[in-house]
Amino acid sequence: MKTTTAIDVMNKDDLIVIAGAGGFIAGALARYFHDKGFTRIRAIDRKPVPQWYQRVPGVESISMDLSVQENAVKAVEGAVEVYNLAADMGGMGFIENNRVDCLRSILINTHMIEAAYRAGTARFFFSSSACAYNTTLQQDPNVRALKETDAYPAMAERGYGWEKLVSEMFCQEYTAERGLETHIARFHNVFGPNGTWFGGREKAPAALCRKAVEAIDSGKYEIDIWGDGHQTRSFMYISDCVYGIDRIMHNDDLIATPINLGTSELVSINQLVDYIEEIANIKMNRTYMLDAPRGVAGRNSDNTFIKEVLGWEPSTPLKEGLKSTYAWIKEQYYDRKAGKAVVRD
Ligand code: NAD
């Protein structure tokens, strides 16, 4: 099977535009392409540049709100490839309580895709989400893994999931009607160093790692867990995510074709806490917060299609990814305590 990535089809000085690059995944993507030797990367985020999670030397970094049409036009000027990962999002606590903000990310997507089309961009990538899947299929922790066809009939997660589903449709119709080459990945939970770890937008792996560090620091070995701990998920390590984006963007069988990008290693939140306790070498008393946002009961990625089309799937074991994530969060925690600058919203 042919393994095509950006270096096989692009010149090193072709302009790559990455939206949302002040955040977790797009920041890692900017670093990935920079490390592959691409010399013209334009990274954009609405956050002021000093607040970006990662600053990659040599990457043009611009602070701009991409939900404003004229900014989107400026952003993609001269781009050969556009990666749109900018979105107002966070973990369950954020997306359940901020549906309007999540829905408003549609403005980013509509302006970015139209601007990319008008600018003659060769390829456009959109980061969709497993939240686009029909929620009625996710009501049991022993969930059947979700395959790409499970998005329809549509019953996506209110707010965030619907925004993703509609934006996917924009990509598909820009390809069908206007000939813009689009690629769409449905990310399942992504985790790793350089992501949000406190403040309200953090997701379960980062939040639970932080709580373990706090437990050790306070000497009170207690942990609050949202939900009953039985809800299940799969978690993809960041390096698998950025490599997967590159492979998906450069595969001709994946034009305007949404595809899962996630691991199929299903764990319950309780198992996730077990792993973190093992890494931190502690045991904590667990309190289950049954009224807290918990999302669907179970969600896993069916990787049949990605294996078939790419001969690859994300495979970093959860425990391995958690080790480096825990170590990074611990360092961040003590840096913050010492008054040093850390990754924050
Ligand atoms: P993130 O919040 O770390 O990054 C998103 C970035 O977009 C932020 O830095 C934010 O400031 C920026 N942004 C928001 N509105 C903007 C605007 N109007 N103009 C410019 N920038 C704007 O999130 P992430 O985890 O890196 O997610 C990246 C993408 O992947 C998002 O589209 C998200 O929906 C999708 N996704 C992520 C996960 C995950 O587990 N992290 C799962 C599924 C899908």
Side-chain angles (χ1 to χ4, degrees):
M1 190 171 294
K2 228 171 120 205
T3 305
T4 309
T5 58
I7 5 185
D8 304 309
V9 296
M10 303 231 299
N11 298 317
K12 289 277 174 75
D13 60 354
D14 282 346
L15 179 64
I16 299 175
V17 168
I18 304 178
F24 172 42
I25 303 173
L29 191 64
R31 185 169 295 281
Y32 170 88
F33 283 129
H34 173 265
D35 292 350
K36 294 268 171 221
F38 288 95
T39 53
R40 290 179 65 221
I41 301 168
R42 182 181 297 150
I44 302 159
D45 200 287
R46 106 183 135 177
K47 286 189 291 215
V49 175
Q51 284 175 26
W52 291 22
Y53 297 171
Q54 292 198 57
R55 288 290 308 283
V56 186
V59 167
E60 181 187 3
S61 302
I62 304 173
S63 171
M64 204 153 63
D65 183 345
L66 295 171
S67 65
V68 176
Q69 188 179 12
E70 63 196 51
N71 290 345
V73 171
K74 272 189 225 147
V76 304
E77 230 167 59
V80 174
E81 294 194 340
V82 173
Y83 293 81
N84 181 21
L85 287 90
D88 220 344
M89 64 91 62
M92 268 337 290
F94 181 83
I95 67 176
E96 284 197 1
N97 294 312
N98 297 274
R99 289 182 178 146
V100 171
D101 285 337
C102 290
L103 283 166
R104 284 178 59 84
S105 292
I106 194 88
L107 292 170
I108 306 172
N109 299 317
T110 48
H111 291 322
M112 285 295 283
I113 198 165
E114 173 69 13
Y117 161 67
R118 285 179 185 263
T121 302
R123 283 172 219 89
F124 182 90
F125 177 88
F126 174 63
S127 53
S128 186
S129 164
C131 292
Y133 282 115
N134 190 320
T135 48
T136 60
L137 301 172
Q138 306 170 62
Q139 290 169 342
D140 190 320
N142 301 311
V143 66
R144 168 178 70 71
L146 294 160
K147 50 185 189 308
E148 285 75 4
T149 47
D150 289 331
Y152 292 96
M155 187 58 80
E157 219 151 287
R158 287 190 68 80
Y160 180 69
W162 276 100
E163 185 274 311
K164 292 296 188 194
L165 204 57
V166 173
S167 294
E168 285 187 3
M169 195 180 288
F170 268 98
C171 291
Q172 292 174 313
E173 298 309 330
Y174 266 84
T175 298
E177 284 183 10
R178 303 189 183 184
L180 172 66
E181 183 175 326
T182 62
H183 295 262
I184 306 153
R186 291 189 185 134
F187 299 166
H188 290 248
N189 295 294
V190 189
F191 76 102
N194 295 303
T196 319
W197 60 279
F198 74 105
R201 285 183 192 250
E202 65 278 19
K203 298 191 152 203
L208 296 169
C209 284
R210 187 200 67 231
K211 288 177 186 184
V213 175
E214 283 166 353
I216 295 172
D217 189 34
S218 67
K220 291 188 198 121
Y221 291 85
E222 309 277 348
I223 188 164
D224 288 339
I225 295 173
W226 289 10
D228 59 10
H230 296 302
Q231 61 279 36
T232 52
R233 294 290 186 278
S234 71
F235 298 96
M236 164 171 58
Y237 193 59
I238 184 67
S239 55
D240 284 335
C241 181
V242 291
Y243 176 70
I245 293 172
D246 187 359
R247 292 289 306 277
I248 289 167
M249 181 72 145
H250 301 102
N251 188 294
D252 291 342
D253 293 329
L254 292 176
I255 298 172
T257 307
I259 184 166
N260 278 333
L261 184 56
T263 74
S264 51
E265 184 188 349
L266 189 72
V267 291
S268 69
I269 296 300
N270 273 331
Q271 276 170 294
L272 185 60
V273 178
D274 290 345
Y275 287 169
I276 293 169
E277 284 183 333
E278 204 181 306
I279 291 164
N281 202 16
I282 52 170
K283 277 276 165 219
M284 296 176 283
N285 287 323
R286 303 178 187 189
T287 304
Y288 295 99
M289 300 173 71
L290 301 179
D291 294 337
R294 63 192 294 267
V296 292
R299 176 181 291 154
N300 195 8
S301 177
D302 183 322
N303 285 352
T304 311
F305 183 47
I306 195 167
K307 283 192 279 187
E308 187 187 301
V309 74
L310 297 184
W312 173 87
E313 65 178 317
S315 58
T316 304
L318 174 57
K319 235 189 234 178
E320 200 180 297
L322 276 175
K323 277 186 201 153
S324 51
T325 308
Y326 178 81
W328 179 80
I329 289 176
K330 186 174 166 189
E331 195 182 306
Q332 287 274 303
Y333 177 88
Y334 285 106
D335 278 355
R336 184 181 63 174
K337 205 172 164 181
K340 293 189 197 157
V342 292
V343 158
R344 56 178 316 125
D345 264 352

